Amino acid sequence: MHDTGTGSTGNTAQPSRRTVLAATAGVTAALAAAGPAHAAAPDDSRLRALISRMTLQEKVGQLFVMRVYGHSATAPDQADIDANLREIGVRTAAELVAKYRVGGIIYFTWAHNTRDPHQIADLSNGIQRASLGLPRGLPVLISTDQEHGIVARVGKPATLFPGAMAVGAGGSRSDARALGRIAGAELRAMGIRQDYSPVADVNVNPANPVIGVRSFGADPRAVSALVAAEVAGYQGSGVAATAKHFPGHGDTNVDSHTGFPTITHSRELWEKLDAPPFRAAIAAGIDSIMTAHLMVPALDDSGDPATLSRPILTGILREQLGYDGVVVTDSLGMEGVRTKYGDARVPVLALKAGVDQLLNPPDLDLAWNAVLTAVREGELTEARLDESILRVLRLKSGLGLFRSPYVSQGGVDRTVGTRSHLAAAGRIAERTTTLLVNEGRLLPLPRRRYPKVLVVGADPASPSGTTGPPTGVLAGALGELGFTATALSTGTAPSAVAVAKAVAAARDADAVVAATYNVTASSSQKALVEQLVATGRPVVAVAIRNPYDVAQLPSVPACLAAYSWTDVELRAVARVIAGRVKPRGKLPVVVRRADDPEQVLYPIGYGLSY
């Protein structure tokens, strides 16, 4: 399915086999006995021998996973060179690897790493070439956040799948496994070998600003089953999966990117609610687990975030749960981990707590030197570093990076965004759309009775899985199904003028589809939907993020939950509206009454069909 050989194909400039062997002299020979990815345990004695030959500076570098700007490892655009110089003190990814010997690099869309699959493959090869060409050159573990749904760093033409809560609504372990298998194969073909997915948080708080639809749902058993299935899919394709965010980020109303959350669960509740998906991931052989920048007093009353907590990471994760894989921090640039300690202390404390990989520090030079100084001054031992480096090298060896660090353009063409992969994503999406309200059997919408459809509503910033505003994508999909559909974007906070314009347009339509995005009691989105309903035209509301919108829209005659506004989910919604497929999704979370949150409006497992 994919080609990880070192031969040159297409426009990827590959080094010769002689160059590769020379660059990896000693390393490849030392690890020749290692089996294929995830097929055999690497030989620790050989890895330990490799570690013994590394300098302290090389060891420190292996612990870091760093961002870098640019589409190319050696020739990025000038703006990206400027950004690298400003933030990292190097010009290129190749210089980053040479100066700090980083063990990993993380790709971001905003860092211009992920323009298209062929460029990504070239970038990955350039990074590997730069690292393997150094003394004791080691392959780099390249990672990204490809959760699908609202968080995806690699966009089209790669295959984009429904996000976790949509998959939770589908409830199929087979679909979750297929998602991981296909997505993993595509990432691997582009040289990305560690994915920071799946989210193992159990989202029980509707006000959660950072997890929400990134979670499979609110039932720990269902979440556990889907987490394990995705892990099997990803790792079966040779990509390290990452369960996040330990010990659980599902019950907070604070975003750890901008604040310091506290989870008030008792130890007993944590064991029942938050721990099961991580236990399931460990049982499935998860390669890596990401920490959370939040405080859980019942697990550690020191006031430290879990990322810096030895009782949580060593006492619970390592010793009680028996996990001996790689532990990676969430981004060290997030406020949740920077609140209590300075940026120089955070990486040292994380390593003392039991972390193996230090992800994306805001100031790499400061963090790198802080770890180096901590070893030289005796706060950290070199033996402690060796423990983490051994885990990281085990992972690289198990993924086959020592044997086959490069990818080919032919492998990209054969694997990424193929017709069969796109069709599988569409089928999975069709099984996730959830029908919550259908008064008078308005849906499916008969085209002969309602030929002219107005699509109005929210237009949040587009994730990688979109080709335009949700209203435009929905209108286009309905148009392909035979409707005369017009899009009118009113935004997530429509003004009175925008509402009036939409109401006027609705009077010229036969039916209205309204895309809603996290509606609140005071939201002008609610006023928009109410005034659209008052026109007498049939209105179908589509919640394009959290499914809780339905509680704020009691007057709407039909309501669907899409769980995201990516193309694959919106096109599935269009097929459900048109009656081409039946809605099959079931709520993976509880929706409570807006006027009395103690009362359940729709329970887990609720979903209509027709």
Side-chain angles (χ1 to χ4, degrees):
M1 181 174 289
H2 44 263
D3 184 355
T4 57
T6 58
S8 177
T9 310
N11 58 17
T12 296
Q14 298 278 22
S16 68
R17 178 172 177 79
R18 180 177 297 175
T19 301
V20 173
L21 290 175
T24 57
V27 175
T28 301
L31 296 166
H38 295 92
D43 186 336
D44 275 4
S45 64
R46 296 173 185 266
L47 294 176
R48 292 181 193 279
L50 174 59
I51 294 170
S52 71
R53 296 193 296 272
M54 295 168 64
T55 67
L56 178 58
Q57 289 83 352
E58 289 169 344
K59 290 181 178 182
V60 171
Q62 282 298 299
L63 303 173
F64 285 93
V65 180
M66 190 58 184
R67 70 190 179 279
V68 66
Y69 290 86
H71 70 287
S72 165
T74 56
D77 295 339
Q78 186 61 48
D80 292 323
I81 292 174
D82 294 342
N84 285 329
L85 287 170
R86 184 173 58 252
E87 296 185 18
I88 314 172
V90 298
R91 295 167 53 86
T92 67
E95 290 183 12
L96 167 66
V97 170
K99 181 175 181 179
Y100 292 103
R101 308 299 294 267
V102 292
I105 286 179
I106 179 172
Y107 287 170
F108 290 106
T109 310
W110 49 260
H112 311 138
N113 305 139
T114 58
R115 291 181 178 177
D116 64 75
H118 290 102
Q119 168 269 318
I120 295 169
D122 283 339
L123 175 60
S124 298
N125 285 335
I127 289 170
Q128 299 295 5
R129 190 178 304 114
S131 184
L132 291 167
L134 298 169
R136 288 172 299 281
L138 296 171
V140 176
L141 184 55
I142 297 171
S143 60
T144 198
D145 292 287
Q146 191 77 351
E147 298 175 13
H148 296 272
I150 69 171
V151 177
R153 311 304 187 195
V154 180
K156 293 185 175 184
T159 305
L160 280 304
F161 285 89
M165 192 170 286
V167 174
S172 169
R173 285 178 289 181
S174 177
D175 282 351
R177 189 178 301 108
L179 184 160
R181 176 179 55 80
I182 293 170
E186 295 197 5
L187 290 174
R188 176 174 174 146
M190 293 179 276
I192 300 171
R193 302 301 297 274
Q194 183 177 25
D195 188 15
Y196 298 134
S197 186
V199 172
D201 304 316
V202 181
N203 198 85
V204 294
N205 190 337
N208 195 322
V210 64
I211 304 301
V213 293
R214 297 167 62 197
S215 162
F216 288 109
D219 178 353
R221 288 184 298 177
V223 172
S224 297
L226 295 172
V227 164
E230 277 202 11
V231 169
Y234 277 113
Q235 296 189 176
S237 288
V239 168
T242 307
K244 62 187 187 185
H245 308 81
F246 188 84
H249 210 317
D251 189 10
T252 174
N253 58 6
V254 175
D255 185 345
S256 53
H257 290 84
T258 57
F260 185 22
T262 298
I263 302 293
T264 59
H265 294 178
S266 66
R267 177 61 185 259
E268 181 181 18
L269 180 57
W270 178 82
E271 291 280 2
K272 292 180 179 179
L273 182 68
D274 302 290
F278 293 101
R279 291 183 184 275
I282 293 168
I286 187 79
D287 280 330
S288 53
I289 290 177
M290 179 178 285
T291 68
H293 303 325
L294 46 75
M295 180 169 52
V296 190
L299 306 183
D300 178 2
D301 61 4
S302 69
D304 287 344
T307 297
L308 310 182
S309 169
R310 185 170 179 82
I312 291 175
L313 298 188
T314 297
I316 295 176
L317 181 57
R318 295 285 192 207
E319 296 172 358
Q320 294 181 26
L321 300 188
Y323 179 65
D324 193 37
V326 169
V327 174
V328 56
T329 70
D330 206 340
S331 172
L332 297 183
M334 293 166 60
E335 190 63 27
V337 78
R338 304 173 76 188
T339 299
K340 188 174 178 182
Y341 301 100
D343 290 335
R345 291 298 298 154
V346 165
V348 175
L349 294 175
L351 291 170
K352 293 175 75 172
V355 159
D356 302 306
Q357 288 184 309
L358 301 162
L359 177 62
N360 200 27
D363 185 333
L364 176 60
D365 193 70
L366 179 70
W368 189 90
N369 277 294
V371 175
L372 191 67
T373 299
V375 177
R376 286 174 171 166
E377 294 182 353
E379 183 178 6
L380 284 170
T381 65
E382 198 163 344
R384 168 66 192 90
L385 267 57
D386 291 352
E387 291 175 10
S388 287
I389 295 165
L390 178 60
R391 292 191 186 100
V392 172
L393 294 185
R394 276 178 188 155
L395 179 53
K396 291 181 181 182
S397 179
L399 292 168
L401 278 169
F402 285 98
R403 294 176 295 102
S404 299
Y406 298 103
V407 294
S408 72
Q409 294 290 9
V412 170
D413 292 336
R414 290 190 295 274
T415 309
V416 180
T418 65
R419 184 176 301 176
S420 63
H421 287 180
L422 296 173
R427 289 192 300 271
I428 290 173
E430 288 176 351
R431 294 190 278 269
T432 69
T433 306
T434 307
L435 179 59
L436 300 174
V437 179
N438 195 22
E439 293 180 2
R441 296 186 177 181
L442 174 60
L443 294 178
L445 207 62
R447 181 168 54 86
R448 291 183 180 180
R449 186 175 178 184
Y450 305 107
K452 292 176 60 179
V453 177
L454 173 68
V455 182
V456 303
D459 55 350
S462 297
S464 294
T466 61
T467 54
T471 51
V473 173
L474 257 177
L478 288 169
E480 292 174 6
L481 295 170
F483 292 90
T484 301
T486 303
L488 177 61
S489 179
T490 53
T492 55
S495 66
V497 172
V499 171
K501 185 176 180 181
V503 169
R507 294 193 176 100
D508 292 330
D510 299 309
V512 179
V513 175
T516 66
Y517 181 95
N518 295 359
V519 179
T520 63
S522 60
S523 170
S524 54
Q525 290 184 70
K526 181 176 181 179
L528 169 66
V529 173
E530 289 173 345
Q531 292 189 40
L532 290 171
V533 171
T535 65
R537 299 296 189 270
V539 177
V540 180
V542 180
I544 61 172
R545 186 161 180 169
N546 291 324
Y548 312 111
D549 289 4
V550 65
Q552 300 288 349
L553 306 172
S555 65
V556 75
C559 186
L560 292 158
Y563 306 100
S564 179
W565 60 102
T566 55
D567 286 9
V568 68
E569 286 161 296
L570 293 178
R571 293 179 71 84
V573 165
R575 293 194 290 274
V576 168
I577 290 173
R580 298 297 180 90
V581 296
K582 295 188 177 188
R584 294 173 56 182
K586 305 295 181 184
L587 274 177
V589 294
V590 174
V591 174
R592 299 185 179 277
R593 292 178 61 97
D595 57 352
D596 185 2
E598 296 299 317
Q599 299 297 316
V600 173
L601 182 62
Y602 299 116
I604 291 175
Y606 178 85
L608 304 173
S609 191
Y610 48 67

